[in-house]
Tab-separated table of all heavy atoms in Angstrom:
chain	number	residue	atom	x	y	z
A	1	ARG	N	7.970	-18.447	1.915
A	1	ARG	CA	8.732	-17.351	2.492
A	1	ARG	C	7.754	-16.303	3.001
A	1	ARG	O	6.550	-16.400	2.807
A	1	ARG	CB	9.659	-16.722	1.443
A	1	ARG	CG	10.749	-17.671	0.928
A	1	ARG	CD	11.696	-16.928	0.020
A	1	ARG	NE	11.014	-16.414	-1.152
A	1	ARG	CZ	11.451	-15.372	-1.876
A	1	ARG	NH1	12.521	-14.734	-1.509
A	1	ARG	NH2	10.792	-14.985	-2.953
A	2	GLN	N	8.317	-15.269	3.614
A	2	GLN	CA	7.472	-14.189	4.112
A	2	GLN	C	6.812	-13.471	2.949
A	2	GLN	O	7.391	-13.310	1.885
A	2	GLN	CB	8.337	-13.203	4.907
A	2	GLN	CG	7.529	-12.135	5.626
A	2	GLN	CD	8.434	-11.163	6.349
A	2	GLN	OE1	9.325	-10.572	5.767
A	2	GLN	NE2	8.195	-10.994	7.632
A	3	ASP	N	5.584	-13.040	3.131
A	3	ASP	CA	4.887	-12.316	2.087
A	3	ASP	C	5.608	-11.018	1.768
A	3	ASP	O	6.380	-10.517	2.574
A	3	ASP	CB	3.457	-11.998	2.537
A	3	ASP	CG	2.565	-13.219	2.452
A	3	ASP	OD1	3.016	-14.236	1.910
A	3	ASP	OD2	1.427	-13.145	2.930
A	4	PRO	N	5.361	-10.457	0.578
A	4	PRO	CA	5.980	-9.180	0.234
A	4	PRO	C	5.625	-8.104	1.266
A	4	PRO	O	4.534	-8.109	1.832
A	4	PRO	CB	5.370	-8.846	-1.131
A	4	PRO	CG	4.904	-10.139	-1.671
A	4	PRO	CD	4.506	-10.966	-0.501
A	5	GLU	N	6.552	-7.194	1.477
A	5	GLU	CA	6.267	-6.070	2.363
A	5	GLU	C	5.583	-4.983	1.558
A	5	GLU	O	6.012	-4.648	0.447
A	5	GLU	CB	7.549	-5.530	2.991
A	5	GLU	CG	7.285	-4.392	3.960
A	5	GLU	CD	8.508	-4.001	4.764
A	5	GLU	OE1	9.620	-4.363	4.355
A	5	GLU	OE2	8.344	-3.325	5.792
A	6	ILE	N	4.511	-4.435	2.091
A	6	ILE	CA	3.731	-3.424	1.385
A	6	ILE	C	3.726	-2.139	2.200
A	6	ILE	O	3.352	-2.132	3.374
A	6	ILE	CB	2.289	-3.897	1.136
A	6	ILE	CG1	2.284	-5.160	0.263
A	6	ILE	CG2	1.477	-2.795	0.468
A	6	ILE	CD1	0.915	-5.723	0.001
A	7	LEU	N	4.157	-1.051	1.567
A	7	LEU	CA	4.111	0.274	2.173
A	7	LEU	C	3.007	1.056	1.477
A	7	LEU	O	2.838	0.977	0.263
A	7	LEU	CB	5.447	1.002	2.007
A	7	LEU	CG	6.706	0.263	2.461
A	7	LEU	CD1	7.930	1.093	2.150
A	7	LEU	CD2	6.640	-0.035	3.945
A	8	LYS	N	2.260	1.816	2.255
A	8	LYS	CA	1.174	2.593	1.673
A	8	LYS	C	1.321	4.064	2.044
A	8	LYS	O	1.757	4.398	3.142
A	8	LYS	CB	-0.186	2.069	2.138
A	8	LYS	CG	-0.573	0.729	1.537
A	8	LYS	CD	-1.996	0.363	1.880
A	8	LYS	CE	-2.420	-0.937	1.193
A	8	LYS	NZ	-3.828	-1.271	1.487
A	9	SER	N	0.922	4.916	1.093
A	9	SER	CA	0.889	6.339	1.371
A	9	SER	C	-0.442	6.692	2.036
A	9	SER	O	-1.323	5.844	2.170
A	9	SER	CB	1.044	7.132	0.071
A	9	SER	OG	-0.133	7.006	-0.731
A	10	GLN	N	-0.596	7.931	2.410
A	10	GLN	CA	-1.869	8.387	2.943
A	10	GLN	C	-2.884	8.504	1.812
A	10	GLN	O	-2.529	8.682	0.650
A	10	GLN	CB	-1.694	9.743	3.637
A	10	GLN	CG	-0.806	9.696	4.867
A	10	GLN	CD	-0.638	11.067	5.498
A	10	GLN	OE1	-0.781	12.081	4.829
A	10	GLN	NE2	-0.324	11.090	6.782
A	11	VAL	N	-4.167	8.382	2.153
A	11	VAL	CA	-5.231	8.581	1.169
A	11	VAL	C	-5.385	10.080	0.937
A	11	VAL	O	-5.479	10.859	1.889
A	11	VAL	CB	-6.551	7.968	1.652
A	11	VAL	CG1	-7.673	8.259	0.665
A	11	VAL	CG2	-6.398	6.462	1.846
A	12	SER	N	-5.392	10.484	-0.318
A	12	SER	CA	-5.499	11.907	-0.635
A	12	SER	C	-6.419	12.099	-1.833
A	12	SER	O	-6.777	11.141	-2.527
A	12	SER	CB	-4.113	12.497	-0.943
A	12	SER	OG	-3.519	11.810	-2.042
A	13	GLU	N	-6.820	13.327	-2.067
A	13	GLU	CA	-7.682	13.633	-3.208
A	13	GLU	C	-6.840	13.675	-4.479
A	13	GLU	O	-5.761	14.269	-4.512
A	13	GLU	CB	-8.399	14.968	-3.015
A	13	GLU	CG	-9.367	15.280	-4.143
A	13	GLU	CD	-10.132	16.572	-3.924
A	13	GLU	OE1	-9.695	17.371	-3.071
A	13	GLU	OE2	-11.150	16.790	-4.594
A	14	VAL	N	-7.347	13.049	-5.519
A	14	VAL	CA	-6.668	13.001	-6.812
A	14	VAL	C	-7.640	13.490	-7.874
A	14	VAL	O	-8.769	13.008	-7.956
A	14	VAL	CB	-6.192	11.566	-7.143
A	14	VAL	CG1	-5.635	11.505	-8.566
A	14	VAL	CG2	-5.152	11.101	-6.145
A	15	VAL	N	-7.201	14.447	-8.670
A	15	VAL	CA	-8.021	14.983	-9.761
A	15	VAL	C	-7.341	14.671	-11.083
A	15	VAL	O	-6.180	15.044	-11.303
A	15	VAL	CB	-8.229	16.505	-9.619
A	15	VAL	CG1	-9.079	17.023	-10.782
A	15	VAL	CG2	-8.888	16.839	-8.289
A	16	LEU	N	-8.044	13.969	-11.962
A	16	LEU	CA	-7.525	13.622	-13.279
A	16	LEU	C	-8.425	14.265	-14.333
A	16	LEU	O	-9.634	14.027	-14.354
A	16	LEU	CB	-7.497	12.103	-13.473
A	16	LEU	CG	-6.577	11.325	-12.530
A	16	LEU	CD1	-6.737	9.833	-12.745
A	16	LEU	CD2	-5.126	11.728	-12.743
A	17	GLU	N	-7.831	15.085	-15.190
A	17	GLU	CA	-8.572	15.779	-16.239
A	17	GLU	C	-8.007	15.404	-17.595
A	17	GLU	O	-6.789	15.394	-17.791
A	17	GLU	CB	-8.488	17.297	-16.034
A	17	GLU	CG	-9.082	17.772	-14.708
A	17	GLU	CD	-8.902	19.266	-14.506
A	17	GLU	OE1	-8.059	19.847	-15.232
A	17	GLU	OE2	-9.592	19.838	-13.658
A	18	LEU	N	-8.888	15.121	-18.533
A	18	LEU	CA	-8.431	14.751	-19.871
A	18	LEU	C	-7.812	15.938	-20.599
A	18	LEU	O	-6.871	15.780	-21.383
A	18	LEU	CB	-9.599	14.191	-20.683
A	18	LEU	CG	-10.209	12.867	-20.178
A	18	LEU	CD1	-11.354	12.437	-21.075
A	18	LEU	CD2	-9.138	11.782	-20.117
A	19	ASP	N	-8.337	17.149	-20.366
A	19	ASP	CA	-7.852	18.334	-21.075
A	19	ASP	C	-6.977	19.217	-20.200
A	19	ASP	O	-6.568	20.289	-20.623
A	19	ASP	CB	-9.040	19.158	-21.593
A	19	ASP	CG	-9.903	18.357	-22.561
A	19	ASP	OD1	-9.332	17.543	-23.305
A	19	ASP	OD2	-11.125	18.552	-22.553
A	20	GLY	N	-6.694	18.788	-18.976
A	20	GLY	CA	-5.890	19.599	-18.076
A	20	GLY	C	-4.449	19.127	-18.032
A	20	GLY	O	-3.910	18.596	-19.004
A	21	SER	N	-3.840	19.298	-16.878
A	21	SER	CA	-2.449	18.892	-16.703
A	21	SER	C	-2.319	17.388	-16.891
A	21	SER	O	-3.152	16.618	-16.423
A	21	SER	CB	-1.963	19.295	-15.312
A	21	SER	OG	-0.681	18.755	-15.054
A	22	ARG	N	-1.264	16.966	-17.574
A	22	ARG	CA	-1.042	15.546	-17.801
A	22	ARG	C	-0.073	14.957	-16.779
A	22	ARG	O	0.387	13.828	-16.929
A	22	ARG	CB	-0.502	15.311	-19.213
A	22	ARG	CG	-1.384	15.875	-20.306
A	22	ARG	CD	-2.757	15.240	-20.300
A	22	ARG	NE	-2.728	13.857	-20.732
A	22	ARG	CZ	-3.761	13.022	-20.673
A	22	ARG	NH1	-4.893	13.429	-20.138
A	22	ARG	NH2	-3.654	11.789	-21.101
A	23	THR	N	0.252	15.735	-15.755
A	23	THR	CA	1.163	15.260	-14.716
A	23	THR	C	0.436	15.199	-13.378
A	23	THR	O	-0.127	16.194	-12.927
A	23	THR	CB	2.388	16.183	-14.585
A	23	THR	OG1	3.077	16.226	-15.839
A	23	THR	CG2	3.334	15.669	-13.513
A	24	LEU	N	0.440	14.028	-12.772
A	24	LEU	CA	-0.158	13.825	-11.454
A	24	LEU	C	0.967	13.742	-10.429
A	24	LEU	O	1.903	12.968	-10.596
A	24	LEU	CB	-0.978	12.534	-11.440
A	24	LEU	CG	-1.566	12.087	-10.103
A	24	LEU	CD1	-2.569	13.116	-9.587
A	24	LEU	CD2	-2.226	10.721	-10.234
A	25	GLU	N	0.889	14.566	-9.390
A	25	GLU	CA	1.936	14.600	-8.369
A	25	GLU	C	1.387	14.069	-7.046
A	25	GLU	O	0.336	14.509	-6.583
A	25	GLU	CB	2.464	16.020	-8.186
A	25	GLU	CG	3.105	16.607	-9.438
A	25	GLU	CD	3.644	18.003	-9.201
A	25	GLU	OE1	3.480	18.499	-8.055
A	25	GLU	OE2	4.222	18.595	-10.130
A	26	ILE	N	2.098	13.127	-6.446
A	26	ILE	CA	1.698	12.544	-5.160
A	26	ILE	C	2.944	12.393	-4.298
A	26	ILE	O	4.005	11.978	-4.785
A	26	ILE	CB	1.016	11.175	-5.332
A	26	ILE	CG1	-0.261	11.301	-6.165
A	26	ILE	CG2	0.698	10.553	-3.977
A	26	ILE	CD1	-0.998	9.988	-6.378
A	27	THR	N	2.826	12.725	-3.030
A	27	THR	CA	3.918	12.529	-2.076
A	27	THR	C	3.701	11.223	-1.335
A	27	THR	O	2.606	10.966	-0.819
A	27	THR	CB	3.989	13.692	-1.065
A	27	THR	OG1	4.248	14.906	-1.784
A	27	THR	CG2	5.110	13.464	-0.054
A	28	PHE	N	4.744	10.397	-1.290
A	28	PHE	CA	4.654	9.087	-0.658
A	28	PHE	C	5.306	9.156	0.718
A	28	PHE	O	6.527	9.241	0.839
A	28	PHE	CB	5.361	8.025	-1.513
A	28	PHE	CG	5.029	6.613	-1.122
A	28	PHE	CD1	4.181	5.850	-1.885
A	28	PHE	CD2	5.569	6.052	0.022
A	28	PHE	CE1	3.867	4.548	-1.524
A	28	PHE	CE2	5.264	4.762	0.393
A	28	PHE	CZ	4.408	3.998	-0.380
A	29	LYS	N	4.463	9.116	1.755
A	29	LYS	CA	4.942	9.006	3.128
A	29	LYS	C	4.587	7.614	3.613
A	29	LYS	O	3.412	7.273	3.726
A	29	LYS	CB	4.314	10.085	4.020
A	29	LYS	CG	4.746	11.498	3.651
A	29	LYS	CD	4.156	12.527	4.610
A	29	LYS	CE	4.630	13.926	4.254
A	29	LYS	NZ	4.055	14.945	5.176
A	30	ALA	N	5.584	6.826	3.904
A	30	ALA	CA	5.389	5.395	4.128
A	30	ALA	C	4.550	5.112	5.360
A	30	ALA	O	4.720	5.717	6.411
A	30	ALA	CB	6.734	4.694	4.248
A	31	SER	N	3.627	4.192	5.188
A	31	SER	CA	2.867	3.622	6.301
A	31	SER	C	2.963	2.118	6.153
A	31	SER	O	2.451	1.548	5.194
A	31	SER	CB	1.408	4.071	6.255
A	31	SER	OG	0.650	3.426	7.260
A	32	ARG	N	3.624	1.458	7.088
A	32	ARG	CA	3.943	0.042	6.954
A	32	ARG	C	2.750	-0.823	7.291
A	32	ARG	O	2.057	-0.605	8.278
A	32	ARG	CB	5.100	-0.299	7.894
A	32	ARG	CG	6.190	-1.129	7.246
A	32	ARG	CD	7.385	-1.225	8.152
A	32	ARG	NE	8.563	-1.672	7.453
A	32	ARG	CZ	9.766	-1.638	7.973
A	32	ARG	NH1	9.955	-1.164	9.182
A	32	ARG	NH2	10.803	-2.062	7.291
A	33	ARG	N	2.500	-1.845	6.453
A	33	ARG	CA	1.494	-2.856	6.759
A	33	ARG	C	2.206	-4.032	7.392
A	33	ARG	O	3.207	-4.526	6.882
A	33	ARG	CB	0.782	-3.319	5.480
A	33	ARG	CG	-0.390	-4.252	5.770
A	33	ARG	CD	-0.941	-4.820	4.497
A	33	ARG	NE	-0.133	-5.914	3.991
A	33	ARG	CZ	-0.492	-6.716	2.994
A	33	ARG	NH1	-1.622	-6.523	2.362
A	33	ARG	NH2	0.295	-7.695	2.583
A	34	ASP	N	1.681	-4.490	8.520
A	34	ASP	CA	2.301	-5.625	9.195
A	34	ASP	C	2.284	-6.842	8.289
A	34	ASP	O	1.258	-7.159	7.678
A	34	ASP	CB	1.570	-5.957	10.505
A	34	ASP	CG	1.709	-4.845	11.527
A	34	ASP	OD1	2.717	-4.113	11.464
A	34	ASP	OD2	0.807	-4.698	12.368
A	35	PRO	N	3.400	-7.554	8.152
A	35	PRO	CA	3.417	-8.748	7.302
A	35	PRO	C	2.481	-9.818	7.839
A	35	PRO	O	2.288	-9.946	9.049
A	35	PRO	CB	4.878	-9.210	7.372
A	35	PRO	CG	5.410	-8.623	8.644
A	35	PRO	CD	4.687	-7.320	8.826
A	36	VAL	N	1.894	-10.558	6.931
A	36	VAL	CA	0.973	-11.627	7.315
A	36	VAL	C	1.772	-12.793	7.888
A	36	VAL	O	2.713	-13.275	7.271
A	36	VAL	CB	0.149	-12.095	6.100
A	36	VAL	CG1	-0.744	-13.263	6.489
A	36	VAL	CG2	-0.669	-10.948	5.557
A	37	GLU	N	1.402	-13.229	9.071
A	37	GLU	CA	2.085	-14.357	9.690
A	37	GLU	C	1.495	-15.663	9.170
A	37	GLU	O	0.298	-15.773	8.919
A	37	GLU	CB	1.932	-14.293	11.212
A	37	GLU	CG	2.550	-13.044	11.831
A	37	GLU	CD	2.296	-12.996	13.328
A	37	GLU	OE1	1.648	-13.929	13.839
A	37	GLU	OE2	2.731	-12.039	13.962
A	38	THR	N	2.333	-16.656	9.023
A	38	THR	CA	1.832	-17.958	8.589
A	38	THR	C	1.215	-18.686	9.784
A	38	THR	O	1.649	-18.518	10.917
A	38	THR	CB	2.979	-18.816	8.022
A	38	THR	OG1	3.995	-18.950	9.022
A	38	THR	CG2	3.573	-18.149	6.797
A	39	PRO	N	0.193	-19.482	9.551
A	39	PRO	CA	-0.517	-20.134	10.650
A	39	PRO	C	0.070	-21.482	11.034
A	39	PRO	O	-0.652	-22.366	11.470
A	39	PRO	CB	-1.922	-20.306	10.067
A	39	PRO	CG	-1.672	-20.538	8.617
A	39	PRO	CD	-0.457	-19.710	8.261
A	40	ASP	N	1.391	-21.665	10.848
A	40	ASP	CA	1.980	-22.977	11.109
A	40	ASP	C	1.745	-23.451	12.538
A	40	ASP	O	1.588	-24.641	12.795
A	40	ASP	CB	3.488	-22.932	10.828
A	40	ASP	CG	3.777	-22.653	9.363
A	40	ASP	OD1	2.867	-22.883	8.540
A	40	ASP	OD2	4.882	-22.196	9.050
A	41	SER	N	1.746	-22.517	13.481
A	41	SER	CA	1.630	-22.900	14.889
A	41	SER	C	0.187	-22.905	15.368
A	41	SER	O	-0.072	-23.165	16.532
A	41	SER	CB	2.450	-21.922	15.749
A	41	SER	OG	1.957	-20.601	15.590
A	42	GLU	N	-0.778	-22.639	14.488
A	42	GLU	CA	-2.175	-22.574	14.887
A	42	GLU	C	-2.828	-23.929	14.658
A	42	GLU	O	-2.791	-24.464	13.545
A	42	GLU	CB	-2.891	-21.472	14.110
A	42	GLU	CG	-2.259	-20.101	14.363
A	42	GLU	CD	-2.998	-19.002	13.622
A	42	GLU	OE1	-4.204	-19.174	13.361
A	42	GLU	OE2	-2.377	-17.980	13.326
A	43	ALA	N	-3.453	-24.441	15.682
A	43	ALA	CA	-3.967	-25.816	15.636
A	43	ALA	C	-5.131	-25.970	14.667
A	43	ALA	O	-5.314	-27.040	14.084
A	43	ALA	CB	-4.388	-26.246	17.039
A	44	HIS	N	-5.926	-24.922	14.502
A	44	HIS	CA	-7.172	-25.088	13.758
A	44	HIS	C	-7.144	-24.453	12.367
A	44	HIS	O	-8.124	-24.568	11.628
A	44	HIS	CB	-8.333	-24.494	14.552
A	44	HIS	CG	-8.482	-25.097	15.922
A	44	HIS	ND1	-8.590	-26.449	16.131
A	44	HIS	CD2	-8.506	-24.518	17.153
A	44	HIS	CE1	-8.697	-26.691	17.432
A	44	HIS	NE2	-8.635	-25.536	18.071
A	45	VAL	N	-6.079	-23.770	11.994
A	45	VAL	CA	-5.998	-23.119	10.683
A	45	VAL	C	-4.849	-23.736	9.902
A	45	VAL	O	-3.718	-23.779	10.374
A	45	VAL	CB	-5.785	-21.595	10.826
A	45	VAL	CG1	-5.703	-20.958	9.439
A	45	VAL	CG2	-6.914	-20.960	11.638
């Protein structure tokens, strides 16, 4: 079947502190990755 669809957010700076805030907040704005096509129709792959 078709491969899973993968959506990615933008790359952003992330700060993780052991003694600081224990909540990490990130906004997800979708960026679609084109699904991988199968090579059924390709003669050499």
Side-chain angles (χ1 to χ4, degrees):
R1 296 186 298 156
Q2 188 182 55
D3 283 352
E5 182 170 18
I6 299 178
L7 308 177
K8 288 188 176 182
S9 70
Q10 295 179 335
V11 176
S12 59
E13 183 177 16
V14 173
V15 180
L16 297 175
E17 299 176 344
L18 295 180
D19 300 325
S21 172
R22 304 299 290 172
T23 301
L24 174 63
E25 298 181 359
I26 299 180
T27 298
F28 194 105
K29 294 183 178 180
S31 175
R32 226 170 196 169
R33 187 187 79 170
D34 294 333
V36 177
E37 298 177 0
T38 57
D40 296 340
S41 60
E42 300 182 27
H44 303 306
V45 180

